[in-house]
Amino acid sequence: MVTRRQILLGGLATAGAAGGVLAANGAAAAQAYREGFAAAELKSQTKVAKQKSSFNGSHQAGIEQRAQAHANFIGLEIGSKITKDDMLRWMVLLTDDITRLCNGEPVLADPEPDLMIGAANLTVTVGFGPALFKKLGLESKVPEGFAELPGFKIDQLRDEFTGGDVLIQLGADDLLILSHATRALLRDSEPFGTVRWQQAGFTNAVGSNPEGKTQRNLMGQVDGTDNPEFGSKNFANQVWITGGPAWAIGGTQLALRRIQMNLPTWDMLGRNDKEEVIGRHLDTGAPLGQKNEFDPINFDAKKENGLQVIPPFAHIRRAAAKRPGEQFFRRPFNYQVVGAKPGELDSGLLWTAYAADLTKQYLPVQQRLADFDLLNKWTTPIGSAVFAIARGFEPGQVLAEELFS
Amino acid sequence: MRRSALISLALVPALLAPIAPAAVAAPAQVVVADAWVKASSFSDHTGGMTGVFMKITNKTKRAITLLTGTSSIAGMVETHQVVDGVMSKTARGIKLMPGKTVTLEPGGLHVMLMGLKKPILAGTKVDLTLKFAGANPLVIKPMLAKTAAAGEETYDPGMSH
Ligand code: HEM
Ligand SMILES: [Cu+2]
């Protein structure tokens, strides 16, 4: 099928290829048109693979940008003999790999280079867990507010999704490209550590949702509305570290929580009940009592019967900042894997908080929700890990060099 | 536009700069791309050995031969081949035909670093200057050492060349 847009693109390409419309004769013009059309069509068919995300700069990629269609979070544990010098060599390898992969190129010595047909917006984000700083005697380089999380009474954490010395977070809009990039990074990480866990997440495919539209999670909720806007001062204040050890200035801190959803019991709720659990409408994502997703939340509004429009138990009431600074950036991915029993699906969120200081910004909110949030009835944290994310790197710089030299 | 926004395709060559072929004095006679060194149990100790791999292009209109090289990390540099899984020194270097690219890869032609003065581990940077018949010496940008399973050949420590 040929769309009007493709015809337009074809026409433009022809004009370019023929250096104007002054083709020598009619047959040549027709041929030039066909070639231009085919080139434009091919370009349009491979446009997802051809997209690249910028990956150099003061911040690492994969945070202040739309969640890609697919993500892999990988937690590694370093070998018992690994030194700071070894870590630096690992970072040299990762830096080279990231540079090539995010350009849509195979890594050096890629055994299957033909698989790397583009970047598909690939991003790679690298961070370090609290245990790593202890193992390598780097306690003086721990950013302020970064520490192992306390246990919460809602937690049912499993070892296979918890902890880790090094995080490699990958996102891409093509699963095959993501898988190939993941394998490349893991192959080059082998001399330094072992994979403790690997967690795969997803959102909608590119082209399924309008650009910039907030994603839905597997409970059907619009999830990610009340987030700082990309490129805003607000975002920078909430997310990027501005002081302390140099390697982390421009970096951030990540709390990654694997939160299982009990969808069979959630499905049984009526639509009104579901909306009250969160405090937002399911269709628009608007706060209860409002029309549009980004309308301000009125926590004081009362119904005629005197009850609060947004109930006391509602997730957004409990989660909203009670004191200045209790805010952070969420960039969740859905997960779904075949469960232990036949016919059972294990569904949930790879829930993320990115904050300049997890202790100040995230911990009080998490504590409040652990104490009381009706949503807990259908959700269970089964994995948990925190990582300090290094600042970004410029061309020629090595990722996290200041931490390990 | 926010800094994390998509970059335009026009920026790509600039981003590729750090991994582009090594710069040589103009006019380039030989161009090397994607050079790397294999890190393995044969290279992780002083006195060890390992292979160097790359794409190497003859930019001139006459034949050039890669003969040998020098590296601060190796006592000896040779050109090698692998035939039927057995590695040996090539009789007359590695021939580069005019305008053609030769790929040095595991299981095939390679440059051998021998008598290592320091261990080569994954992530180690290695310098190398290539020496030719028919072209000026070429200093390659420091190469990365990587572990790689491909073309696993036997490096017999007692082999004779
Ligand atoms: C499976 C678990 C969870 C689900 C399904 C979920 C879902 C939601 C939904 C649908 C919203 C409303 C839309 C939005 O603003 O994004 C929301 C808001 C929010 N959630 Fe969650 N959430 C979960 C876990 C958590 C956790 C563990 C925390 C923090 C520790 C958290 C903190 C927040 C915050 C801060 C807001 C914004 C509140 C405001 O408007 O001020 N959520 N969540
Ligand atoms: Cu050899």
Side-chain angles (χ1 to χ4, degrees):
Chain A
M1 220 185 68
V2 176
T3 65
R4 199 148 42 138
R5 193 171 148 268
Q6 284 169 327
I7 290 171
L8 186 69
L9 283 174
L12 287 172
T14 308
V21 286
L22 302 172
N25 56 52
Q31 179 59 19
Y33 174 80
R34 274 192 296 275
E35 281 166 13
F37 181 87
E41 191 169 68
L42 186 66
K43 205 168 163 187
S44 135
Q45 285 169 1
T46 55
K47 66 174 188 285
V48 172
K50 295 294 176 286
Q51 296 297 326
K52 300 182 194 192
S53 290
S54 98
F55 57 93
N56 283 129
S58 42
H59 317 302
Q60 286 193 65
I63 299 167
E64 195 171 3
Q65 66 192 88
R66 164 183 74 76
Q68 295 98 324
H70 300 279
N72 277 335
F73 290 80
I74 300 156
L76 300 110
E77 209 154 275
I78 61 168
S80 57
K81 295 202 188 95
I82 294 296
T83 63
K84 286 197 300 184
D85 189 61
D86 296 326
M87 289 300 299
L88 195 50
R89 278 188 292 107
W90 187 5
M91 295 304 123
V92 169
L93 283 168
L94 289 183
T95 304
D96 189 69
D97 288 348
I98 291 169
T99 303
R100 289 168 195 272
L101 291 169
C102 294
N103 270 316
E105 307 281 337
V107 298
L108 278 180
D110 187 339
E112 279 84 36
D114 314 278
L115 280 172
M116 206 58 201
I117 55 170
N121 270 324
L122 177 74
T123 58
V124 181
T125 319
V126 177
F128 309 99
L132 183 92
F133 294 88
K134 274 202 204 102
K135 288 181 185 177
L136 298 176
L138 292 170
E139 286 90 345
S140 65
K141 293 193 172 176
V142 175
E144 194 172 323
F146 181 68
E148 215 73 80
L149 297 180
F152 303 100
K153 66 175 189 201
I154 50 171
D155 287 357
Q156 291 182 27
L157 303 186
R158 300 182 195 163
D159 234 25
E160 72 253 38
F161 302 126
T162 300
D165 295 331
V166 176
L167 167 82
I168 304 179
Q169 171 197 319
L170 300 96
D173 287 325
D174 180 286
L175 189 49
L176 191 45
I177 290 172
L178 179 74
S179 121
H180 188 63
T182 300
R183 237 167 65 72
L185 295 180
L186 290 186
R187 200 170 47 239
D188 287 337
S189 298
E190 237 176 65
F192 309 97
T194 51
V195 174
R196 187 179 164 87
W197 45 257
Q198 180 170 337
Q199 306 187 52
F202 61 93
T203 69
N204 277 119
V206 173
S208 294
N209 257 334
E211 186 83 19
K213 190 169 173 170
T214 315
Q215 294 277 348
R216 285 178 192 273
N217 62 37
L218 299 179
M219 290 175 135
Q221 303 144 355
V222 178
D223 190 350
T225 303
D226 219 325
N227 251 338
E229 198 182 330
F230 294 152
S232 66
K233 268 221 169 83
N234 202 15
F235 190 101
N237 288 340
Q238 288 184 29
V239 174
W240 305 124
I241 296 172
T242 53
W247 73 273
I249 295 178
T252 183
Q253 302 178 17
L254 163 67
L256 169 64
R257 307 269 291 168
R258 186 179 183 91
I259 306 181
Q260 191 175 53
M261 296 170 168
N262 190 335
L263 290 183
T265 58
W266 173 256
D267 291 346
M268 287 191 258
L269 286 187
R271 208 166 164 91
N272 278 348
D273 291 345
K274 283 180 177 168
E275 293 185 333
E276 292 210 324
V277 169
I278 292 295
R280 285 181 175 271
H281 290 292
L282 277 168
D283 52 357
T284 55
L288 290 183
Q290 310 285 339
K291 264 226 196 68
N292 301 308
E293 183 187 350
F294 294 100
D295 287 348
I297 307 172
N298 182 355
F299 284 119
D300 299 326
K302 298 252 166 65
K303 297 194 255 192
E304 275 173 18
N305 61 10
L307 295 177
Q308 289 179 307
V309 173
I310 295 171
F313 53 73
H315 180 67
I316 62 167
R317 182 184 288 281
R318 299 292 299 164
K322 299 290 181 279
R323 267 174 298 274
E326 287 183 359
Q327 279 178 307
F328 44 84
F329 171 58
R330 293 167 288 131
R331 191 172 184 264
F333 290 89
N334 304 296
Y335 82 79
Q336 187 165 70
V337 291
V338 177
K341 293 184 212 124
E344 199 180 62
L345 281 180
D346 177 3
S347 308
L349 274 186
L350 302 183
W351 188 91
T352 58
Y354 296 86
D357 183 324
L358 283 177
T359 302
K360 282 206 186 100
Q361 298 168 240
Y362 155 78
L363 207 53
V365 180
Q366 180 64 77
Q367 191 60 60
R368 206 156 53 231
L369 293 179
D371 293 343
F372 179 49
D373 173 12
L374 197 58
L375 185 62
N376 293 339
K377 231 176 139 165
W378 299 274
T379 60
T380 312
I382 58 171
S384 183
V386 291
F387 298 97
I389 309 284
R391 70 170 177 85
F393 62 96
E394 301 290 350
Q397 290 185 331
V398 174
L399 184 61
E401 181 165 8
E402 293 133 321
L403 179 55
F404 300 116
S405 42
Chain B
M1 233 164 81
R2 64 190 168 87
R3 61 160 300 284
S4 59
L6 303 180
I7 55 169
S8 80
L9 287 171
L11 279 173
V12 170
L15 286 167
L16 280 170
I19 54 167
V24 289
Q29 298 174 309
V30 178
V31 171
V32 161
D34 295 339
W36 62 283
V37 186
K38 183 160 167 168
S40 75
S41 59
F42 292 97
S43 72
D44 67 0
H45 53 275
T46 306
M49 64 173 86
T50 190
V52 176
F53 312 97
M54 65 187 73
K55 293 193 181 80
I56 181 163
T57 304
N58 179 351
K59 295 291 223 185
T60 71
K61 293 200 170 74
R62 55 183 194 280
I64 293 173
T65 305
L66 170 60
L67 288 177
T68 178
T70 55
S71 169
S72 67
I73 207 166
M76 189 169 32
V77 178
E78 293 182 347
T79 54
H80 277 197
Q81 62 194 355
V82 178
V83 178
D84 297 330
V86 179
M87 176 168 76
S88 60
K89 189 171 191 279
T90 61
R92 274 177 293 277
I94 295 172
K95 193 124 190 187
L96 311 171
M97 299 312 285
K100 292 280 189 293
T101 298
V102 173
T103 301
L104 311 188
E105 58 192 346
L109 291 170
H110 57 275
V111 171
M112 199 75 186
L113 305 182
M114 300 161 79
L116 295 183
K117 297 171 187 166
K118 280 188 293 182
I120 293 180
L121 308 171
T124 301
K125 290 249 180 166
V126 178
D127 67 274
L128 178 66
T129 301
L130 297 176
K131 302 262 168 77
F132 305 92
N136 297 329
L138 175 64
V139 181
I140 300 179
K141 245 182 35 157
M143 306 171 291
L144 261 186
K146 302 191 82 172
T147 51
E152 202 56 70
E153 60 249 17
T154 328
Y155 293 167
D156 176 3
M159 75 179 181
S160 54
H161 291 286

